[in-house]
Amino acid sequence: MSEKRRLVALAGQPNCGKSTVFNGLTGASQHVANYPGVTVDKMSGSYRFKGQKVEVVDLPGTYSLTSYSPEERVARDFILHEHPSVVVNVMDASNLKRSLYLTFQLLEMNVPLVVNLNMMDVAEEAGMRINVDALSGILGVPVVLTTMKKKQGREELFETIDTFSEQEKHDTAVRLDYKEMEPFFREIQDILETETSLETDYPLRWVAIKLMEGDEEIYDIIGRHHADAAGFLADVDSMRQSFEERFGVAPEIHIARCRYRLADEIFAASVAVEGQGKVPLTEKIDRIVCHKILGPIVLVGIIWLLYYLSIVQGYNLTNYTWPLLAKIRSLTEAITPAPGFIDIPLIRSFSLWFVDSVNALLNYVPIFFILFGLIAVLEDSGYMARMAFIMDRLLNQFGLHGQSTLPMVLGGVYVGGCAVPGVMACKGIPDERSRFATILTIPMLNCLAKVPLYVLLINIYFAEHKGWAMLFISTISILLVLPVAKILTLTVLKGKETAPFVMEMPAYHMPTIRGVLGRAVERVWLFLKKITTIVAAVAVILFVLLQFPGLGPEREAHYEAQKTTAIDAFQKAIENTSFAGALSGDQVMPFIIYWEDFASAKMAAGRGKGDDLKTQFEQRNPIFFQVVSRQGAEGKTAFNAAKKLVQTRKMLLMEMRKERIDNSFLGRAGKFMEPMTQWAGFNWRVNVALLSALAAKESSVATLGALYDQGEEGAQTLEERMGSQEAGFTPLHALALMLFMVLYPPCLATAIAVKLQTGSAKWMLFSMGYPMALGLGVAVLIFTGGSALGLSGLQAMFAFYGLALTFTVAMGFVRDREQVSTRFPGKACWEKK
């Protein structure tokens, strides 16, 4: 006999401790997914009580159950359509009055409800004495007190859920009286009851309330269930208009006021507050943290600390994790076919390319773990809401959100961030339009991977003005991001939803270690699962584009001849030594691999471990060891010949790689683009370097290093090689290239993060396409425009900075009427407890 399915849904406002309750109920048995069609996390888990398995779903934190945001919709739809056995309304006990607003809406949905007053320790510290029996009696539902971070009240909550889910019928005592609006509800209910079959799926009174609130999603439902939906909805609109004209208040405002009024009455009847004249600790802290002068200073300090711990110290941790990833690469090298003198087996090339691609992302894990943990601390402590409050006024002028601050800092608002964690941190932005605007503009900030190209070009073309050039490149990105974000919100993002900007200021409280670690692990695991699987597909595509069609038969024969010449010269040089036989024929490649392993081992071992290393390699091959350690006169002769042979092989491999890139699909694309990009001052080499940066921006400099070869000198820096081999390049070329890199599309890892956060490949492609066009336009403006005006690179730099600053200020004054109108009329945008 199968068990009856028991499903518990946790509903509550943000920062009410719902995640702590979820962890307390489910323990380690939980996993994360997305709700279908949206990027909202779906946390689910299970536990057993009295032998019965109970599934638990942690619904997104919402202040209401309207259809303003994806979080509200998925929470409401889940309750309506999944029919949970029990809905546990988790409330911050210290914030009882405002939390009741959501409770009333749950009661109106006729769901089996249990109220869980969590964080009772905070409420008691605030002097609140809650009469549980009175509150339960008024609401007509069980009320359970918990301090879940200390596991206090957990067993009682288990017991109450079990008992309540056994009941077939759940009656509630409270019924909200909307006074003057009640006749309107009755009229709508009567029509729905006689003309639709909605009653089987939805409480009709709740539908009537939602219609009077003007809920667009309920309008859609009516459209699917009413034979004359247009006529009926026109009548509803007439009722809404009639109510507003008769009573002088919009229906949705009247409904909200009734709920708040009842919340006041229930609070007065069930809660006593001791020491009401005493200033709470939260209020004392807020006097500093939210102060108009001190607040931003504290904010900068906290952001700096978060940046320092996650990016700087997290990057230091990679010094310990990278060797582990390097071992994976070494293992891959060991199990794939060995390389030839100039022939690298395709399976080996691809395997190493794939491992390198995945390792590049896995290397971010220490940074992400610290970052996600610190974000959890900010969220759980209550400071994240203050951060949004302080920055919202400025960022809102550009279509962004107060909670865009943290992602922008992580993405490199100055220099040295990383767009991947920046985009991943956008998840907490509640406003969809602002969230998308932040996601789409973060790649324009100065991530660490862009810096090598800046430094390279500044050292070559702005050597006498390095300070000005670095200041320019460090700050110009934010002057581009802000107006671009504003333009996006006014155009392509105009149709995105903007939730009314209401946020509760929760009381400060201490996060738990378990909660912080648990959320950091969850988010990192989600990143690993999704990023690594998508990378596999993209890595294959890039590998093909860079490797094929490869070298032609004639060029293969050319390199084969050089290989034969090099090996013949090596064997001729050692023919009179005792090593001639041991290093002949098929022993050449094993010796070269031995040589390279020995060189790598010496570099990795450092000082003090030379003797152990020599013993190890001598045991591996005593004859080869005599050569690499230059033993005796013959050993020195063989060493010098072998050194020349190894260098020749490296040179041949580099030449083949360069030629293969030139002939590759990507290389051909670089030459194909030259007629167009010449107006930006780019030649085909720059095009190829920029195309290779699509995988990772660091690749731009690495590719330039391969394209501008060493020549006979063999010791020139890349700055020297590029400066000498691009004689026609000027500072104007360099400035155009630097600004193009500022606006460069997101790298592969960031593009995938954009896909994850937007839930759409379309937006990922858009995030890659529009910066390319914008960057090219800016580069053309700089190079062609600057050339036409006869400007030097430095003059063009100052002129563009002034233009960008003026445009940014001007865009800040452009009003977004739609965004302003979505705020609650007559109601403070920010509410502080």
Side-chain angles (χ1 to χ4, degrees):
M1 182 176 165
S2 62
E3 294 180 344
K4 179 184 176 184
R5 179 175 182 250
R6 288 191 178 180
L7 177 62
V8 174
L10 302 184
Q13 296 183 349
N15 301 309
C16 68
K18 191 160 52 65
S19 297
T20 307
V21 173
F22 177 77
N23 291 330
L25 291 176
T26 62
S29 176
Q30 52 186 256
H31 65 274
V32 184
N34 275 4
Y35 288 94
V38 293
T39 57
V40 179
D41 279 350
K42 179 182 180 181
M43 290 285 298
S44 58
S46 64
Y47 67 88
R48 281 194 169 274
F49 188 76
K50 296 182 179 178
Q52 178 80 42
K53 182 179 180 181
V54 181
E55 296 177 37
V56 184
V57 174
D58 184 10
L59 299 176
T62 63
Y63 294 102
S64 181
L65 290 174
T66 57
S67 59
Y68 283 121
S69 70
E71 287 79 6
E72 290 180 349
R73 282 199 298 276
V74 298
R76 190 170 77 177
D77 290 347
F78 186 90
I79 293 170
L80 285 173
H81 303 306
E82 296 298 326
H83 304 294
S85 311
V86 178
V87 175
V88 177
N89 178 200
V90 182
M91 299 166 63
D92 175 359
S94 65
N95 196 19
L96 173 61
K97 191 191 299 185
R98 296 196 190 283
S99 301
L100 285 170
Y101 191 87
L102 178 64
T103 308
F104 296 150
Q105 294 173 78
L106 291 168
L107 290 171
E108 286 169 347
M109 295 171 74
N110 285 347
V111 296
L113 190 69
V114 170
V115 169
N116 170 212
L117 295 185
N118 192 35
M119 296 196 283
M120 279 301 300
D121 54 340
V122 179
E124 290 170 355
E125 286 176 9
M128 293 176 62
R129 299 291 176 262
I130 300 174
N131 186 332
V132 180
D133 294 334
L135 181 61
S136 178
I138 296 171
L139 296 176
V141 298
V143 176
V144 182
L145 308 182
T146 62
T147 301
M148 195 56 79
K149 69 179 182 181
K150 299 176 182 176
K151 298 185 179 179
Q152 294 175 358
R154 189 178 68 157
E155 293 303 317
E156 185 182 353
L157 184 58
F158 278 133
E159 190 69 51
T160 304
I161 291 173
D162 180 67
T163 304
F164 202 61
S165 60
E166 287 286 334
Q167 297 178 10
E168 295 294 332
K169 188 176 180 181
H170 306 92
D171 294 322
T172 57
V174 69
R175 175 187 171 91
L176 272 71
D177 183 0
Y178 292 99
K179 305 198 180 293
E180 299 89 347
M181 196 173 283
E182 289 294 336
F184 294 86
F185 293 154
R186 283 194 290 273
E187 183 177 349
I188 293 174
Q189 279 183 258
D190 291 342
I191 297 173
L192 293 175
E193 191 172 350
T194 55
E195 299 180 3
T196 72
S197 58
L198 278 172
E199 192 172 12
T200 55
D201 297 320
Y202 303 95
L204 292 186
R205 177 176 170 81
W206 176 78
V207 174
I209 294 170
K210 289 294 157 188
L211 286 172
M212 287 300 289
E213 282 183 323
D215 192 306
E216 292 181 359
E217 200 163 282
I218 301 302
Y219 272 50
D220 292 339
I221 292 174
I222 294 297
R224 296 193 297 270
H225 289 80
H226 197 291
D228 182 21
F232 172 67
L233 291 175
D235 292 340
V236 171
D237 288 339
S238 297
M239 291 184 205
R240 283 170 46 80
Q241 188 175 358
S242 171
F243 181 88
E244 187 165 356
E245 290 172 354
R246 287 175 59 191
F247 299 102
V249 60
E252 58 270 27
I253 300 299
H254 175 79
I255 291 170
R257 286 176 179 173
C258 289
R259 289 171 179 163
Y260 281 120
R261 191 180 302 122
L262 181 60
D264 286 341
E265 294 170 5
I266 292 177
F267 185 84
S270 58
V271 180
V273 182
E274 299 174 355
Q276 288 191 335
K278 185 180 176 184
V279 179
L281 179 61
T282 291
E283 182 68 28
K284 293 178 181 176
I285 297 174
D286 276 348
R287 287 177 182 176
I288 298 174
V289 168
C290 296
H291 189 272
K292 62 181 179 181
I293 297 175
L294 296 177
I297 296 174
V298 173
L299 174 65
V300 169
I302 289 178
I303 287 179
W304 178 86
L305 185 63
L306 185 143
Y307 177 84
Y308 174 78
L309 292 175
S310 60
I311 304 294
V312 178
Q313 294 302 323
Y315 196 78
N316 288 338
L317 280 181
T318 62
N319 293 330
Y320 301 97
T321 56
W322 182 252
L324 300 176
L325 300 176
K327 286 183 179 178
I328 298 175
R329 193 183 197 281
S330 299
L331 179 63
T332 306
E333 288 178 323
I335 62 176
T336 52
F341 193 84
I342 57 172
D343 305 314
I344 310 297
L346 188 61
I347 183 66
R348 181 183 179 87
S349 296
F350 173 72
S351 299
L352 293 177
W353 167 270
F354 180 81
V355 170
D356 288 343
S357 300
V358 174
N359 276 358
L361 292 171
L362 293 178
N363 196 39
Y364 287 113
V365 167
I367 295 174
F368 285 160
F369 186 81
I370 296 174
L371 170 66
F372 291 146
L374 292 175
I375 290 176
V377 169
L378 293 179
E379 290 173 341
D380 290 355
S381 66
Y383 183 73
M384 190 68 88
R386 275 79 180 177
M387 180 186 290
F389 168 70
I390 294 167
M391 289 302 297
D392 182 70
R393 186 175 295 276
L394 171 65
L395 295 179
N396 190 256
Q397 296 297 316
F398 297 94
L400 298 171
H401 190 279
Q403 287 182 274
S404 302
T405 307
L406 179 61
M408 293 176 71
V409 169
L410 296 171
V413 74
Y414 186 63
V415 167
C418 177
V420 178
V423 172
M424 296 294 284
C426 289
K427 202 174 192 65
I429 301 174
D431 182 283
E432 187 180 28
R433 186 188 300 180
S434 299
R435 183 169 67 249
F436 272 65
T438 310
I439 291 170
L440 294 174
T441 52
I442 277 181
M444 295 181 185
L445 297 171
N446 284 325
C447 69
L448 196 63
K450 295 179 180 177
V451 175
L453 184 65
Y454 298 155
V455 173
L456 173 70
L457 296 175
I458 288 172
N459 279 332
I460 299 174
Y461 299 103
F462 294 97
E464 295 180 359
H465 307 286
K466 287 182 182 177
W468 285 111
M470 281 307 298
L471 178 64
F472 167 81
I473 207 67
S474 302
T475 55
I476 191 66
S477 61
I478 191 66
L479 295 182
L480 295 173
V481 163
L482 293 177
V484 168
K486 186 63 172 285
I487 292 171
L488 290 175
T489 56
L490 293 173
T491 54
V492 295
L493 299 177
K494 190 174 183 179
K496 290 290 176 187
E497 296 177 3
T498 56
F501 195 29
V502 178
M503 180 172 283
E504 193 76 35
M505 291 282 212
Y508 291 105
H509 51 271
M510 189 65 69
T512 63
I513 295 176
R514 187 175 184 276
V516 169
L517 292 180
R519 290 164 72 180
V521 170
E522 287 162 14
R523 290 171 178 176
V524 168
W525 179 238
L526 187 64
F527 168 80
L528 290 177
K529 281 199 300 184
K530 293 188 175 178
I531 291 275
T532 51
T533 51
I534 297 173
V535 161
V538 180
V540 172
I541 295 172
L542 286 177
F543 179 80
V544 171
L545 291 176
L546 282 170
Q547 290 292 318
F548 294 97
L551 303 178
E554 290 186 3
R555 298 303 299 167
E556 292 279 7
H558 167 75
Y559 286 114
E560 191 66 29
Q562 291 199 42
K563 162 193 163 184
T564 303
T565 300
I567 293 176
D568 288 347
F570 168 67
Q571 293 187 331
K572 184 175 178 59
I574 64 170
E575 63 183 354
N576 295 324
T577 70
S578 58
F579 302 109
L583 298 178
S584 64
D586 57 1
Q587 288 301 302
V588 172
M589 270 315 298
F591 170 72
I592 290 177
I593 293 173
Y594 180 94
W595 175 289
E596 292 177 341
D597 289 348
F598 183 70
S600 300
K602 276 204 306 183
M603 185 176 294
R607 294 181 178 179
K609 296 183 179 178
D611 293 340
D612 294 341
L613 189 67
K614 289 176 181 176
T615 302
Q616 177 188 344
F617 273 81
E618 188 171 13
Q619 290 175 350
R620 178 173 160 181
N621 192 316
I623 296 176
F624 289 175
F625 182 73
Q626 290 178 40
V627 178
V628 299
S629 59
R630 288 176 278 188
Q631 293 183 8
E634 292 187 349
K636 291 179 181 176
T637 300
F639 177 87
N640 291 332
K643 182 178 180 182
K644 188 175 181 180
L645 178 67
V646 171
Q647 288 177 343
T648 302
R649 177 174 179 263
K650 287 182 177 177
M651 184 189 71
L652 288 175
L653 289 173
M654 182 180 294
E655 287 181 359
M656 292 176 71
R657 183 168 61 248
K658 175 178 175 296
E659 191 168 331
R660 190 174 288 112
I661 291 174
D662 291 352
N663 291 332
S664 69
F665 295 121
L666 211 54
R668 293 180 183 182
K671 291 180 179 175
F672 175 77
M673 292 161 55
E674 202 171 38
M676 180 175 58
T677 60
Q678 63 176 325
W679 302 105
F682 304 163
N683 59 22
W684 75 270
R685 293 187 189 86
V686 173
N687 291 341
V688 170
L690 292 173
L691 288 173
S692 71
L694 286 171
K697 291 188 176 66
E698 300 94 329
S699 300
S700 60
V701 172
T703 305
L704 290 174
L707 294 175
Y708 296 106
D709 59 38
Q710 287 281 1
E712 294 297 325
E713 299 85 350
Q716 285 186 307
T717 64
L718 178 55
E719 283 85 349
E720 293 169 334
R721 280 145 46 202
M722 185 173 177
S724 62
Q725 295 178 39
E726 291 289 6
F729 257 45
T730 66
L732 209 55
H733 287 83
L735 180 62
L737 180 53
M738 286 195 297
L739 283 171
F740 184 81
M741 180 53 76
V742 169
L743 296 167
Y744 195 81
C747 66
L748 173 63
T750 306
I752 294 170
V754 171
K755 163 70 171 59
L756 294 177
Q757 292 302 311
T758 61
S760 164
K762 181 187 72 173
W763 284 111
M764 181 185 75
L765 295 175
F766 179 77
S767 75
M768 302 176 76
Y770 92 87
M772 184 78 80
L774 183 61
L776 189 61
V778 169
V780 170
L781 174 68
I782 291 294
F783 181 71
T784 302
S787 299
L789 295 174
L791 298 178
S792 67
L794 200 62
Q795 289 171 334
M797 185 182 290
F798 281 111
F800 184 77
Y801 198 88
L803 187 65
L805 183 60
T806 303
F807 186 60
T808 301
V809 173
M811 287 302 296
F813 288 102
V814 176
R815 289 194 65 190
D816 182 355
R817 295 180 180 178
E818 186 176 345
Q819 188 167 2
V820 171
S821 66
T822 56
R823 295 170 180 269
F824 279 139
K827 180 174 171 56
C829 295
W830 284 89
E831 296 190 352
K832 191 166 179 299
K833 188 178 66 177

